[in-house]
Amino acid sequence: MRRPGGWWRVKSTPEKVETYTRWSFHFFGVIEILALGVTAYGRTGAGLATALCLLVTAHAAVCMLVSSRALDWTRGRRPQPVRPMWALVVVSAVVSITAVVIAERGPSGEVETAAGSVYGGVLCYAAGVITLGVHGRRRRVAVVGAFAVGAGLLTFPLEMPLLASVVLAGLVMVTGGFLAATSIFSLWLLNAVYALDDAKETRVRLAVAEERLRFGRDLHDVMGRNLAVIALKSELAVQLSRRGRPEAVEQMIEVQRIAQESQREVRDVVRGYREAALEVELAGARGVLSAAGIVSEVTGETAGLPAEVQSALGWVVREATTNVLRHGDAKKVAVTVRMSEGRVVLTVENDGVAETTGDGPPGGPGGATGPGGSGLSGLRERLSAVDGTLEAGLVGRGVFRLTAEVPLPAAAAGAALGVAS
């Protein structure tokens, strides 16, 4: 059995705001009944007071219906409540004319009391409610203005002075405009709450999509180099096996080790704990390039660098090495790490790049993962996390250079320079 108030707890925040807004409009109708209908009993006889109270109650009920339908129309759940709004106009006119008749033919003194209050009150409240069912500032102003003009015209049978009619029309204009502005603001607030809720859901979906992209990029970075090495060593083992060379067994053992290491790294990526250490990646790049028959030169010191800087630059070394193995026909690769004015600069340079047009040279890191690919964009995202920059392009005939720069904190820069000296 549902506990008392359970219906409220299961509602979302926008639904709660909508419920509050809807019942606020209904409460305005209750206020109309109390302020215009019930108070008539203290100003006139019981018969006339009952008639006025019934008229005001009927008018308030129609106003509640229109405000509820208009709210649903604003949220896109119903068509525009044209017929209920015209019904409200008719009911307002009937109540106002009846109030005029009572004020004209009833006992003296009632013009300024019960009938007068009903006459002005229903027109003000109706003007504020009908604006909920129309769009556009001009149309809403026109609705309020029409009710104000109608209020002034209906006073002529009472033979009221022209100034009094103008004042009454102005009072309906101001009061009805205030109610209209209040109602429209309530709708705007409700729509804003729904928009914020939709934006929250969109942000969650974007976060999930971004995490998926990050995972895919990390998996590509992890597996790209290892698969390239496995393919290279497997091909080498096949050639050695065909020649009857015993080294084929060693190559396959190395393939097995790399496959197992790849399996472990994939687990680390899934768990989100994996970090690329610069020193480890430099040593791995040297070994992989040597196994591929590429001369590699690695210079510079990595001691003293912050962990996040080493991780970002380690990914740069890994991506560059992977693309050198995948594309082009490099014979020599030079990797340099140096400190320059509070910044650490990593340079990866390789030859054997075919000079072609397109997204980037196929022989360097700008090839399949060039400016139009996912490799360099992923590296730029990683470097941006540590305020770093990445530049890549041809620097000579068949020479490709990738340069990553990362600023160092003052303490880390001093420690790194001290280690280097």
Side-chain angles (χ1 to χ4, degrees):
M1 184 177 179
R2 181 177 295 181
R3 294 179 302 174
W7 66 275
W8 178 261
R9 296 188 184 93
V10 299
K11 288 179 177 291
S12 64
T13 299
E15 291 174 344
K16 291 179 179 178
V17 175
E18 180 179 349
T19 302
Y20 169 80
T21 304
R22 190 182 301 274
W23 283 101
S24 295
F25 292 151
H26 295 342
F27 186 68
F28 287 159
V30 175
I31 293 177
E32 180 186 12
I33 296 174
L34 296 176
L36 303 180
V38 176
T39 56
Y41 285 95
R43 299 177 180 178
T44 184
L48 288 178
T50 301
L52 290 174
C53 187
L54 291 176
L55 288 174
V56 171
T57 302
H59 183 266
V62 177
C63 287
M64 292 179 186
L65 175 64
V66 172
S67 61
S68 182
R69 294 290 179 86
L71 182 58
D72 291 336
W73 170 65
T74 303
R75 296 304 310 154
R77 304 186 190 121
R78 290 178 179 268
Q80 187 177 17
V82 178
R83 291 183 179 179
M85 287 192 298
W86 278 112
L88 178 58
V89 172
V90 172
V91 172
S92 300
V94 170
V95 174
S96 300
I97 293 174
T98 303
V100 170
V101 172
I102 293 175
E104 184 179 13
R105 299 184 179 181
S108 60
E110 292 185 359
V111 174
E112 292 82 10
T113 55
S117 299
V118 171
Y119 173 78
V122 295
L123 293 178
C124 293
Y125 187 55
V129 170
I130 289 183
T131 54
L132 295 173
V134 295
H135 275 325
R137 183 182 303 175
R138 293 182 179 179
R139 293 181 180 179
R140 290 164 177 165
V141 172
V143 168
V144 177
F147 273 89
V149 172
L153 294 177
L154 288 176
T155 58
F156 284 104
L158 298 177
E159 298 180 355
M160 291 180 62
L162 179 61
L163 180 60
S165 299
V166 173
V167 171
L168 180 60
L171 181 63
V172 173
M173 185 74 176
V174 173
T175 307
F178 175 77
L179 292 175
T182 303
S183 302
I184 293 170
F185 177 77
S186 298
L187 287 183
W188 174 85
L189 183 62
L190 175 62
N191 292 329
V193 172
Y194 270 104
L196 288 175
D197 188 68
D198 293 340
K200 181 180 178 180
E201 293 182 1
T202 302
R203 183 175 61 183
V204 171
R205 289 195 296 268
L206 289 176
V208 172
E210 183 179 355
E211 182 62 19
R212 288 175 178 173
L213 290 175
R214 183 201 66 79
F215 176 78
R217 184 176 65 245
D218 291 352
L219 194 61
H220 165 269
D221 293 341
V222 167
M223 296 301 296
R225 184 195 66 177
N226 292 346
L227 290 177
V229 175
I230 289 174
L232 180 65
K233 287 186 173 293
S234 298
E235 182 180 358
L236 179 59
V238 169
Q239 297 297 330
L240 293 175
S241 178
R242 288 176 178 176
R243 298 175 186 176
R245 300 284 296 275
E247 291 87 348
V249 177
E250 297 180 359
Q251 295 297 326
M252 290 309 299
I253 293 175
E254 183 68 13
V255 168
Q256 182 183 20
R257 184 192 65 79
I258 296 175
Q260 292 173 348
E261 182 181 354
S262 300
Q263 187 179 23
R264 178 185 58 78
E265 290 179 345
V266 169
R267 291 196 190 99
D268 291 339
V269 169
V270 172
R271 293 169 184 164
Y273 296 138
R274 188 179 185 282
E275 290 293 340
L278 180 57
E279 187 66 29
V280 174
E281 294 299 329
L282 290 175
R286 186 186 296 108
V288 170
L289 293 173
S290 299
I294 301 175
V295 178
S296 59
E297 295 181 2
V298 180
T299 59
E301 292 290 337
T302 61
L305 295 178
E308 63 272 16
V309 175
Q310 290 206 34
S311 178
L313 295 180
W315 282 109
V316 175
V317 173
R318 169 168 294 198
E319 182 69 16
T321 305
T322 299
N323 287 311
V324 168
L325 293 173
R326 284 181 172 180
H327 315 291
D329 188 20
K331 300 295 187 295
K332 182 179 180 180
V333 176
V335 181
T336 305
V337 181
R338 59 185 176 87
M339 309 295 170
S340 176
E341 299 178 353
R343 302 175 68 87
V344 56
V345 181
L346 170 68
T347 304
V348 181
E349 187 174 294
N350 66 282
D351 60 2
V353 178
E355 297 183 22
T356 60
T357 59
D359 288 341
T369 55
S374 61
L376 293 184
S377 60
L379 293 180
R380 288 192 175 95
E381 290 179 10
R382 293 182 183 279
L383 290 171
S384 64
V386 290
D387 298 328
T389 59
L390 182 71
E391 295 181 1
L394 290 169
V395 294
R397 186 175 182 83
V399 178
F400 188 88
R401 179 183 297 167
L402 185 147
T403 304
E405 294 187 15
V406 179
L408 294 174
L417 291 175
V419 172
S421 60

